[in-house]
């Protein structure tokens, strides 16, 4: 096991190399560019291919095409590029082709601020394309180590579920330098709970069975299976159809192949929940580290508060949230996105602390925690907070 | 069904759902004849389709491996696929004029720039016909369409003597040919050369759309009038409508390295050198 | 004796577009009487003996429903 000191972007690169990624196609965009740069240096060392595309839409299409040809692939960007993934993301969902997509969120809207963190694509990562009739798998690292781990996990889930998987990081995770453990053998990899699933080949020629089963190999072209990848709604044999019944089966497969196997996806960390505290802070990504410090300090002052840190965002883990608990959601945006899901799932008193481009301070959160626990009306904050 | 369909196509898709008098099947047939003449079989060709009449009517007809791409992006999908597939596997893309010269032109040009080893067959029916007949960027000037009810005033890729092929040639394409869908063996011959080209080939085949372009723009559904009009636009001398020259426009086969093969060779060489270092 | 050819039209696959008739220099085809299952009046091979095997009909048929075959070869081999 080696210890490296590097950015989240570098950790993601090493994770992809470990996972057997053979094609990276990308387009320069802060703060995701370093993944492309690292890939352009590292992939040739392992016999892989770096392709710089004309835009992000082409980038994810190129990755999807490479995956369709049997090569594991990944692309990486930030918010403004992630929006251009919508078309090929839908293609990969509908054709059930694995690919890993990294989004290092920055401040929006639109060009916004490149070198500061945001969390504006929480909902967009659930609905990265049009049309409905699908679920998505989204993981959210908050450190270089998790950036490495979750990249491997993303490749594993993409292969097993025949679907794109998004790693929703933010600029601080992407650019932040930290030490992380880099396994050197499969055993060391397994010691981190990680593993690599090889790319198998769908026998074809029929399309996928109308069931929510996973671990069915994706279609791979060029192997003489006569298989088809159809972005039209397909019949079982893969023909395009205008019939509703095959469409229902296709939609059922895309939704339930994920919902029926959540145990492979759902993941979260809990702090100080053993005594069921009345107030629980909820967050993901880099702000979750400040939340942990704030909760630890609050507990030191005897305050009954805990925290939930989401590691997998979608499918959303409703079961973690209870009506009797007050939830304070901390996010790097001012419109509030995670808070809406928590409020929906918890159906209890929910508060929101949001600011984009800058982490909250521990002291700032302590003020809010004390106000809520003492039943006072929360004071107005720059990031504004109210009962949601 | 004829021998070509029996040899290469899914019977269920033949005859296609294209309108009577639609010339797309002529384009489809010429590509299959070229494949047959090149001695290629079901395992030798991966067939990609775009969105629109050309894509829809050819999708999953090929009994070998095939895929449908998003509108204007099948070229980017093919780029990734090209890198993954061995060079001897041919990639054939049947697309329409909207897919290639409208929404997909950016990606098409970058494929030409890279000299990507694909054969793009642009079946051009002079507009967006599968969506009801809007003008496209090859629609002749003045033509009435569903979205140019007062006559098409947009400068297109063939207006004022210009030709999209000039752009594709400068972008780096290494084989360009144009035909009418009514052309016989010469169209097949060009397609055979296109398939043999290790790099980027594009064959532009203009074909009749009776239901929209015929009925609305040419104001006729009569097959003979349409047949004559399409023959006319490729003929010498004075006649109404645009002028096109059928045949090979540019042939630089083998003169530029093919993108994926060059990338593969460089990567292998890089690995050997790294191994020695 | 020049070789003779057989021309066949799969009437169920034909959409009655008429391009075979328009392309044929020898007037082999004519519009048939029957309407096929898809509601198209298919073309038919009216005068097969006139066929000279130029295959123009085959090359312009959009619906893979026409075949031109060499019937039999008399006299000189090949």
């Amino acid at each position: 096991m080696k210890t490296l000191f590097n950015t989240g972007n570098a950790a993601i690169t090493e994770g992809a190399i470990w996972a057997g990624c053979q094609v990276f196609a990308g387009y320069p965009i802060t703060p995701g560019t370093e993944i492309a740069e690292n890939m352009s240096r590292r992939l040739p060392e392992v016999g892989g291919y770096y392709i710089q595309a004309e835009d992000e839409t082409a980038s994810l299409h190129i990755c999807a095409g490479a995956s369709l040809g049997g090569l594991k692939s990944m692309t990486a960007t930030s918010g403004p590029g992630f929006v251009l993934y919508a078309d090929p993301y839908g293609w990969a969902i509908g054709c059930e082709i694995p690919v890993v997509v990294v989004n290092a969120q920055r401040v929006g809207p639109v060009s916004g601020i490149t070198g500061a963190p945001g969390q504006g694509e929480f909902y967009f990562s659930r609905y990265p394309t049009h049309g409905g009739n699908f679920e998505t798998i989204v993981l959210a690292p908050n450190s270089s180590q998790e950036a490495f781990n979750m990249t491997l996990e993303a490749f594993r889930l993409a292969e097993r579920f025949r679907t794109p998987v998004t790693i929703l990081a933010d600029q601080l995770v992407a650019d932040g330098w930290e030490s992380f453990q880099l396994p050197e053998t499969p055993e060391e990899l397994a010691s981190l709970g990680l593993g690599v699933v090889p790319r198998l080949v769908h026998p074809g020629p029929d399309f996928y069975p109308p069931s929510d089963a996973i671990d069915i190999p994706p279609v791979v072209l060029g192997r003489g299976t006569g298989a088809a990848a159809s972005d039209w709604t397909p019949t079982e044999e893969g023909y395009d159809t205008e019939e509703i019944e095959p469409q229902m089966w296709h939609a059922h497969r895309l939704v339930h192949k994920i919902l029926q196997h959540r145990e492979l996806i759902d993941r979260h960390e809990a702090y100080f929940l053993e005594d069921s505290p009345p107030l629980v802070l909820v967050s993901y990504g880099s702000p979750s580290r400040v939340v942990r410090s704030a909760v630890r300090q609050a507990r030191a002052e005897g305050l009954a508060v805990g925290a939930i840190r989401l590691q997998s965002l979608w499918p959303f883990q409703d079961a973690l949230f209870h009506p009797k608990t007050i939830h304070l959601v901390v996010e790097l945006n001012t419109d509030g996105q995670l808070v809406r899901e928590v409020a929906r799932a918890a159906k209890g008193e929910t508060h929101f602390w949001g600011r984009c481009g800058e982490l909250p301070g521990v002291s700032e959160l302590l003020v809010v925690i004390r106000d809520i626990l003492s039943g006072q009306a929360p004071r107005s904050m720059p990031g504004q907070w109210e009962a949601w | 069904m004829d021998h070509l369909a029996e040899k290469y196509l899914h019977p269920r898709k033949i005859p296609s759902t294209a309108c009577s008098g639609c010339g797309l099947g002529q384009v489809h047939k010429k590509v299959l004849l070229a494949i047959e003449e090149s001695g290629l079989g079901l395992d030798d060709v991966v067939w990609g389709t775009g969105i629109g009449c050309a894509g829809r009517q050819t999708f999953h007809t090929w009994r070998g491996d095939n895929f449908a791409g998003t509108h204007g992006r099948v070229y980017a999908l093919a780029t990734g696929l090209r890198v993954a597939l061995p060079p001897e596997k041919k990639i054939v893309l049947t697309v329409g004029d909207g897919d290639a010269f409208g929404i997909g032109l950016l990606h098409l040009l970058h494929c030409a720039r890279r000299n990507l080893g694909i054969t793009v067959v642009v079946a051009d029916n002079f507009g967006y016909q599968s969506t009801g007949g809007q003008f496209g960027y090859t629609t002749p000037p003045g033509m009435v369409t569903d979205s140019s009810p007062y006559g098409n005033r947009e400068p297109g890729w063939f207006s004022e003597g210009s030709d999209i092929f000039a752009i594709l040639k400068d972008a780096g394409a290494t084989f360009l040919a144009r035909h009418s869908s009514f052309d016989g063996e010469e169209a097949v011959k060009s397609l055979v050369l296109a398939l043999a080209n290790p790099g980027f080939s594009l064959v532009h085949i203009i074909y009749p759309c009776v239901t929209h372009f015929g009925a609305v723009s040419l104001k006729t559904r009569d097959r003979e009038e349409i047949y004559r009009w399409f023959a006319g636009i490729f003929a010498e001398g004075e006649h109404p409508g645009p002028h096109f020259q059928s045949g090979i426009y540019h042939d630089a086969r083998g003169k530029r390295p093919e993108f994926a093969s060059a990338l593969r060779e460089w990567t292998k060489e890089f690995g050997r050198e790294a191994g020695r270092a | 004796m020049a070789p003779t050819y057989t021309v066949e039209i799969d009437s169920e696959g034909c959409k009655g577009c008429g391009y075979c008739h328009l392309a044929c220099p020898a007037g082999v085809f004519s519009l048939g009487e029957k309407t096929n299952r898809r509601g198209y009046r298919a073309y038919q091979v009216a005068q097969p003996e006139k066929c000279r095997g130029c295959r123009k009909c085959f090359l312009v048929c959009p619906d893979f429903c026409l075949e031109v075959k060499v019937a039999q070869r008399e006299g000189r081999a090949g």
Side-chain angles (χ1 to χ4, degrees):
Chain A
M1 193 74 86
K2 248 195 322 193
T3 302
L4 293 186
F5 177 72
N6 214 319
T7 63
N9 282 342
I12 287 170
T13 303
E14 293 313 315
I17 299 288
W18 243 111
C21 176
Q22 287 175 286
V23 169
F24 178 94
Y27 188 80
I29 184 169
T30 302
T33 314
E34 287 74 14
I35 296 176
E37 285 178 351
N38 291 332
M39 277 301 199
S40 70
R41 188 169 43 78
R42 287 287 284 125
L43 274 175
E45 292 172 354
V46 294
Y49 307 114
Y50 168 79
I51 299 169
Q52 193 158 298
E54 53 270 28
D55 62 19
E56 288 88 350
T57 300
S59 300
L60 182 50
H61 272 103
I62 291 171
C63 286
S67 188
L68 181 63
L71 300 181
K72 290 186 182 179
S73 63
M74 178 173 95
T75 186
T77 189
S78 179
F82 193 72
V83 297
L84 295 181
Y85 284 161
D87 191 35
Y89 207 107
W91 188 91
I93 287 176
C95 295
E96 305 192 54
I97 298 296
V99 63
V100 172
V101 177
V102 181
N103 176 11
Q105 298 172 96
R106 74 190 201 192
V107 177
V110 76
S111 302
I113 300 172
T114 63
Q119 293 182 320
E121 285 95 79
F122 173 77
Y123 271 122
F124 195 98
S125 66
R126 164 61 184 88
Y127 294 102
T129 188
H130 69 284
N133 300 322
F134 61 84
E135 283 285 335
T136 24
I137 300 174
V138 179
L139 309 178
N142 74 351
S143 67
S144 288
Q145 186 65 60
E146 269 199 342
F148 174 81
N149 297 2
M150 286 186 177
T151 299
L152 270 146
E153 196 48 25
F155 272 95
R156 178 160 57 177
L157 293 173
E159 291 298 323
R160 296 193 66 181
F161 286 83
R162 318 185 298 281
T163 190
V165 173
T166 289
I167 297 169
L168 195 62
D170 58 65
Q171 181 269 330
L172 285 177
V173 172
D175 287 343
W177 286 71
E178 272 186 296
S179 55
F180 63 97
Q181 300 302 306
L182 178 65
E184 294 176 287
T185 64
E187 296 68 31
E188 287 178 352
L189 193 73
S191 71
L192 295 177
L194 302 171
V196 177
V197 168
R199 164 57 58 84
L200 302 175
V201 177
H202 187 279
D206 285 355
F207 203 57
Y208 305 110
S211 82
D212 49 38
I214 60 169
D215 294 328
I216 297 169
V219 165
V220 175
L221 302 189
R223 309 290 172 87
T225 59
S230 161
D231 67 350
W232 305 98
T233 295
T235 62
E236 257 181 69
E237 300 88 6
Y239 293 110
D240 51 317
T241 179
E242 305 269 321
E243 300 299 320
I244 292 310
E245 205 199 327
Q247 191 285 324
M248 279 161 39
W249 281 115
H250 187 51
H252 170 87
R253 183 171 52 232
L254 297 180
V255 169
H256 292 288
K257 71 179 178 182
I258 289 174
L259 293 188
Q260 297 307 321
H261 302 95
R262 302 189 55 147
E263 71 288 356
L264 298 173
I265 303 166
D266 291 352
R267 183 164 308 161
H268 75 284
E269 275 181 347
Y271 310 109
F272 302 104
L273 294 188
E274 300 74 13
D275 57 2
S276 308
L279 171 62
V280 170
L281 276 68
V282 186
S283 62
Y284 72 94
S286 50
S288 67
R289 299 169 64 154
V290 177
V291 166
R292 189 171 52 190
S293 306
V295 166
R296 193 177 293 133
Q297 196 159 331
R299 278 284 176 169
E301 293 174 14
L303 297 171
V305 61
I308 289 173
R309 199 263 296 192
L310 297 175
Q311 293 171 290
S312 67
L313 299 183
W314 302 102
F316 195 71
Q317 300 173 74
D318 286 19
L320 299 178
F321 306 99
H322 312 295
K324 291 194 298 305
T325 309
I326 303 168
H327 293 100
L328 167 60
V329 176
V330 178
E331 284 184 76
L332 288 178
N333 59 54
T334 48
D335 47 311
Q337 297 186 20
L338 171 60
V339 62
R340 296 168 198 250
E341 278 312 288
V342 171
R344 176 191 61 74
K347 300 180 182 59
E349 182 184 338
T350 305
H351 296 282
F352 163 69
W353 188 97
R355 177 161 68 211
C356 198
E358 191 183 59
L359 290 177
V362 168
S363 54
E364 286 180 282
L365 294 182
L366 283 174
V367 167
V368 180
I369 291 169
R370 289 193 201 97
D371 285 350
I372 293 175
L373 283 180
S374 59
Q376 284 174 21
R379 269 165 273 181
S380 76
M381 299 287 296
Q384 139 258 2
W385 51 336
E386 72 279 337
W388 200 263
Chain B
M1 281 203 305
D2 66 13
H3 73 280
L4 275 175
E6 268 149 22
K7 183 172 179 182
Y8 290 123
L9 302 185
H10 283 293
R12 179 168 157 167
K13 295 282 280 187
I14 301 301
S16 73
T17 52
C19 314
S20 163
C22 169
L24 182 70
Q26 299 167 326
V27 179
H28 194 187
K29 172 177 281 185
K30 300 220 164 90
V31 176
L32 294 173
L33 281 168
I35 287 174
E36 184 178 55
E37 213 167 294
S38 309
L40 297 170
L42 290 173
D43 286 350
D44 303 319
V45 176
V46 176
W47 196 302
T49 58
I51 300 293
C53 287
R56 180 71 145 193
Q57 300 306 341
T58 52
F59 169 64
H60 209 30
T61 53
W62 177 249
R63 274 210 313 279
D65 294 1
N66 69 96
F67 66 103
T70 36
H71 194 32
R73 327 290 174 182
V74 69
Y75 322 100
L77 282 168
T79 305
L81 192 59
R82 181 71 282 166
V83 168
L85 295 183
E88 62 278 5
K89 285 267 192 239
K90 301 292 181 188
I91 296 179
V92 171
L93 305 180
T94 46
V95 297
D97 50 293
D99 199 288
F101 300 150
I103 189 170
L105 187 58
L106 169 71
H107 308 301
L108 194 71
L109 287 176
H110 282 275
C111 287
R113 171 182 62 79
R114 297 189 187 104
N115 194 31
L116 189 75
I118 58 176
T119 298
V120 181
V121 179
V122 181
D124 186 343
N125 52 22
F126 287 144
Y128 292 89
Q129 311 305 355
S130 73
T131 42
Q134 296 73 43
F135 69 88
Y137 312 108
T138 60
T139 305
M143 288 286 180
V144 171
T145 72
D146 275 19
S147 60
S148 59
Y150 310 112
N152 177 24
R153 300 189 323 281
E154 287 262 338
W157 295 121
F158 298 109
S159 304
E160 304 123 34
S162 59
D163 189 332
I164 185 75
F165 270 8
I167 296 169
L168 284 165
K169 179 184 171 196
D170 283 353
T174 43
F175 187 81
L176 296 168
R178 172 170 298 130
H179 289 279
S180 155
S181 65
F182 291 100
D183 284 358
E185 298 298 350
E186 325 85 276
V188 177
K189 218 184 303 105
S190 291
L191 285 161
V192 169
L193 295 177
L195 284 168
N197 178 25
F200 181 88
S201 300
L202 185 142
V203 180
H204 176 218
I205 304 182
I206 291 169
Y207 76 94
C209 160
V210 170
T211 303
H212 298 304
F213 185 75
V216 179
S217 302
L218 300 181
K219 297 187 174 33
T220 175
R221 286 175 182 274
D222 178 77
R223 301 300 189 276
E224 183 150 7
E225 283 179 47
I226 289 170
Y227 181 82
R228 300 273 172 260
W229 190 85
F230 276 85
I233 62 177
F234 278 88
E236 301 305 325
E238 280 319 307
H239 57 74
H243 286 260
F244 294 101
Q245 174 94 35
S246 70
I248 295 172
Y249 177 93
H250 175 55
D251 185 356
R253 283 171 295 144
K255 295 227 169 33
R256 294 187 62 217
E258 192 279 323
F259 175 75
S261 302
L263 178 58
R264 225 189 325 272
E265 293 318 316
W266 178 84
T267 306
K268 248 188 245 126
E269 187 48 36
F270 179 89
R272 272 195 291 274
E273 271 164 32
R276 276 197 298 275
Chain C
M1 241 273 276
T4 58
Y5 299 89
T6 60
V7 186
E8 292 150 14
I9 288 183
D10 164 6
S11 60
E12 283 309 315
C14 174
K15 294 178 187 167
C17 73
Y19 290 139
C20 54
H21 171 63
L22 288 165
C24 173
V28 168
F29 305 95
S30 71
L31 188 58
E33 301 313 319
K34 214 153 62 60
T35 300
N36 67 20
R37 273 201 315 274
R38 286 188 178 73
Y40 294 110
R41 256 181 84 185
Y43 268 73
Q44 63 182 6
V45 182
Q47 300 174 344
E49 67 289 355
K50 290 190 169 177
C51 175
R52 282 176 268 135
C54 70
R55 284 196 349 147
K56 282 194 167 143
C57 55
F58 171 73
L59 287 163
V60 296
C61 169
D63 293 303
F64 301 99
C65 63
L66 188 151
E67 197 82 84
V68 180
K69 289 192 190 118
V70 181
Q72 21 93 345
R73 207 169 278 287
E74 295 294 320
R76 293 182 319 292

